[in-house]
Amino acid sequence: MRNELYIDGKWVKPLKGGTADVINPATEEFIQTIAAATTEDVDIAVKAARRAFDKDGWPKLSGARRAAYLRAIADGIRARQAEIARLEVLDNGKPLPEADWDVADAAGCFDFYAGLAEQLDNNPAEVITLGDDRFISKAVKEPIGVAGAIIPWNYPLLMAAWKVAPALAAGCTVVLKPAELTSLTALELAAIADEAGLPAGVLNIVTGAGSVAGQAIIDHEGVDKLAFTGSGPVGSKIMAAAARDIKRISLELGGKSPFVIFEDADIDEAVEWIMFGIFWNQGQVCSATSRVLVHEAIYERLLARLVEEADRIKIGNGLDEGVLLGPLVSKRQYEQVLSAIENARKAGATVACGGTRPDGFDKGYYLRPTILTDVPLDSDAWVEEIFGPVVCVRPFATEEEAIDLANNSRFGLAAAVMSKDDVRAERVAAAFRAGIVWINCSQPTFTEAPWGGYKQSGIGRELGRWGLENYLETKQITKYVTDKPWGWYIK
């Protein structure tokens, strides 16, 4: 495991020698130290990315050439998939099958954007029809420049892929800052990119604190574009800081996503998707459907079944066979989630199950799957993102009421609806004010489809062709083509 920064194609120690400890959330044991970059280290990384973009020719390569590097990175990830997935579990705590899925998706993301990079060669310009035949005009897409990418700890390698792959495909160079809690697999990505022969300076990875290394990326005048996934308050600060230099930004922020379940839904299927929507990745998912609205005709039966199944989920170390719920990522996150549950109790909510450390776990940041009922609509538990395995469940009487409750949030990342009536499901999906809507499911995510939210859940879209466009500028080129002089001033 690596403990240096990856800058300008080399592994280097931070200039001031800073380090940070890596802790296994399943055991609370020390794993290793990683480098902690400072402003000075980030400056070197940005200047390397700047040179690779401005002088070394990365954006001038054909899309096919860039695609070859991206596919080599994808192959490198797959070649080490089992090893990287295990490292993800040690660092993040998620169950190994989830980590394995994430790593496979990360490789697929690089392959997907390799294909889009090749397509850039086939679409060099869009001809624009003008109302004056003395001119011809075209619009071309060009890479923005140096991208500063700051990613969260819930999907460490996958979130890196979501930003690095489209940026490199577009012809941008990148300075990536992984979360300080989960940096190990991002460093392995650097090693894989290096083995793939990626030119020096094209990808730089600096580990360290968000308040230091992350802030240095945000503030650096050599960064043209900021891409951030994380909390709303931090996203707001990034947006304000970016305004100083008019940096391009894309923000994928928090959510408090609703899941509306109608009376015609199959109860077992609904329970399965409710659990997948909130207990996957320990509920540490920005799009988690954490507000479940159930039609009053099936509310009591569904709730009883949900409690029964939630209590059966196997909890433990993500490396153990059959575990479906690992520990939360850190002591701080664990304490914040416990505090949120306690505050919900004080506000009048009922804990239908969970809310405590499971029996037999003296170490590790483990929490039983938690179901809250009778949650006041103005309480933090209903309004704020908890980011843990905690779901609020309440009944509704009419479709109109369900839609009003679902949309009554400052967030708008995702929403889900379950019904056997396709017309009703489509109608409700259209009524949701959210950037991602699922019908008869929750949380499936595909590299080909756009990802992002309405309202305070963010700006811009990742994944699909929309993710590539995050890193492209549009240039108009207009040419005067007649031999006749313009003759405005000189007659």
Side-chain angles (χ1 to χ4, degrees):
M1 292 186 282
R2 303 170 196 281
N3 61 357
E4 295 178 305
L5 310 173
Y6 184 73
I7 298 176
D8 205 9
K10 298 183 289 291
W11 292 101
V12 297
K13 296 190 179 301
L15 291 176
K16 294 187 177 179
T19 62
D21 291 344
V22 179
I23 303 298
N24 183 340
T27 63
E28 301 182 45
E29 294 174 350
F30 169 84
I31 298 175
Q32 68 166 79
T33 59
I34 57 171
T38 60
T39 301
E40 293 81 359
D41 299 305
V42 170
D43 181 59
I44 296 170
V46 173
K47 286 177 177 174
R50 189 84 260 164
R51 187 205 68 242
F53 184 83
D54 292 334
K55 297 182 179 179
D56 292 353
W58 176 254
K60 303 298 183 185
L61 292 181
S62 67
R65 290 279 303 280
R66 293 198 296 271
Y69 288 112
L70 292 173
R71 289 202 173 93
I73 293 171
D75 290 344
I77 292 172
R78 289 193 188 94
R80 298 176 51 198
Q81 182 169 329
E83 171 195 349
I84 295 171
R86 181 180 174 83
L87 195 59
E88 199 86 297
V89 175
L90 292 173
D91 205 12
N92 170 274
K94 66 178 66 191
L96 183 59
E98 293 186 25
D100 192 58
W101 193 347
D102 291 351
V103 176
D105 277 356
C109 187
F110 278 94
D111 272 336
F112 176 79
Y113 282 105
L116 291 194
E118 290 170 333
Q119 289 181 26
L120 290 175
D121 290 341
N122 301 325
N123 299 283
E126 177 185 348
V127 176
I128 302 169
T129 301
L130 303 175
D132 187 331
D133 60 9
R134 293 173 295 175
F135 299 89
I136 59 172
S137 187
K138 62 183 178 180
V140 298
K141 297 283 190 179
E142 296 183 345
I144 287 176
V146 174
I150 301 173
I151 60 172
W153 42 257
N154 55 343
Y155 292 93
L157 183 65
L158 187 56
M159 291 296 98
W162 279 24
K163 290 175 172 53
V164 172
L168 298 188
C172 292
T173 56
V174 179
V175 179
L176 173 70
K177 212 293 286 183
E180 54 257 49
L181 290 175
T182 55
S183 296
L184 298 183
T185 52
L187 294 172
E188 296 309 309
L189 175 62
I192 290 167
D194 192 70
E195 291 164 6
L198 194 70
V202 170
L203 174 62
N204 307 272
I205 297 182
V206 291
T207 53
S211 59
V212 180
Q215 192 63 49
I217 292 172
I218 293 163
D219 292 338
H220 203 292
E221 63 181 11
V223 173
D224 302 296
K225 152 85 182 188
L226 293 170
F228 172 75
T229 297
S231 72
V234 176
S236 179
K237 291 178 181 178
I238 289 174
M239 191 172 180
R244 292 195 298 267
D245 299 325
I246 320 296
K247 285 184 170 71
R248 305 296 185 263
I249 59 169
S250 53
L251 304 172
E252 202 266 89
L253 307 177
K256 192 72 177 176
S257 302
F259 193 170
V260 175
I261 298 171
F262 285 96
E263 71 280 2
D264 60 348
D266 180 278
I267 286 180
D268 277 0
E269 289 180 10
V271 167
E272 170 68 24
W273 282 113
I274 290 169
M275 293 198 299
F276 194 81
I278 188 60
F279 300 142
W280 176 265
N281 206 46
Q282 293 68 252
Q284 298 167 141
V285 183
C286 53
S287 60
T289 36
S290 56
R291 292 185 296 138
V292 174
L293 300 160
V294 182
H295 192 275
E296 60 188 11
I298 62 168
Y299 175 77
E300 295 295 341
R301 285 184 293 146
L302 185 146
L303 179 61
R305 190 81 176 90
L306 179 61
V307 168
E308 178 186 8
E309 289 299 327
D311 276 336
R312 288 179 177 172
I313 294 174
K314 184 174 180 178
I315 303 169
N317 189 314
L319 295 176
D320 292 344
E321 185 74 25
V323 165
L324 292 177
L325 191 77
L328 294 172
V329 73
S330 68
K331 181 179 180 181
R332 179 185 178 191
Q333 186 65 18
Y334 176 68
E335 291 175 345
Q336 286 179 343
V337 174
L338 283 177
S339 177
I341 295 168
E342 180 58 28
N343 289 338
R345 281 196 186 98
K346 291 177 179 177
T350 299
V351 180
C353 77
T356 60
R357 176 185 285 273
D359 294 338
F361 290 88
D362 297 328
K363 290 284 187 181
Y365 309 122
Y366 295 100
L367 178 67
R368 291 169 59 209
T370 303
I371 300 169
L372 301 178
T373 61
D374 310 313
V375 181
L377 293 176
D378 61 352
S379 68
D380 283 352
W382 186 261
V383 173
E384 301 295 337
E385 186 176 41
I386 295 176
F387 223 63
V390 182
V391 63
C392 302
V393 186
R394 71 179 296 119
F396 71 88
T398 67
E399 179 179 318
E400 181 181 15
E401 179 191 5
I403 292 169
D404 287 346
L405 287 168
N407 286 338
N408 186 20
S409 172
R410 72 178 190 277
F411 297 112
L413 182 55
V417 57
M418 179 167 277
S419 174
K420 292 178 181 176
D421 183 339
D422 287 342
V423 173
R424 175 166 62 181
E426 292 284 352
R427 183 172 63 241
V428 172
F432 285 142
R433 296 292 297 161
I436 304 151
V437 176
W438 296 295
I439 296 176
N440 294 332
C441 58
S442 177
Q443 304 308 309
T445 304
F446 300 96
T447 305
E448 300 87 352
W451 183 273
Y454 289 12
K455 298 186 274 189
Q456 292 186 30
S457 286
I459 295 173
R461 295 294 181 270
E462 295 191 293
L463 300 183
R465 63 175 174 81
W466 302 267
L468 183 71
E469 289 166 3
N470 265 336
Y471 299 93
L472 293 170
E473 292 276 28
T474 301
K475 175 186 284 185
Q476 176 211 140
I477 301 175
T478 297
K479 182 179 181 181
Y480 187 59
V481 294
T482 180
D483 292 336
K484 184 179 179 180
W486 185 239
W488 188 265
Y489 293 105
I490 301 174
K491 307 298 182 182

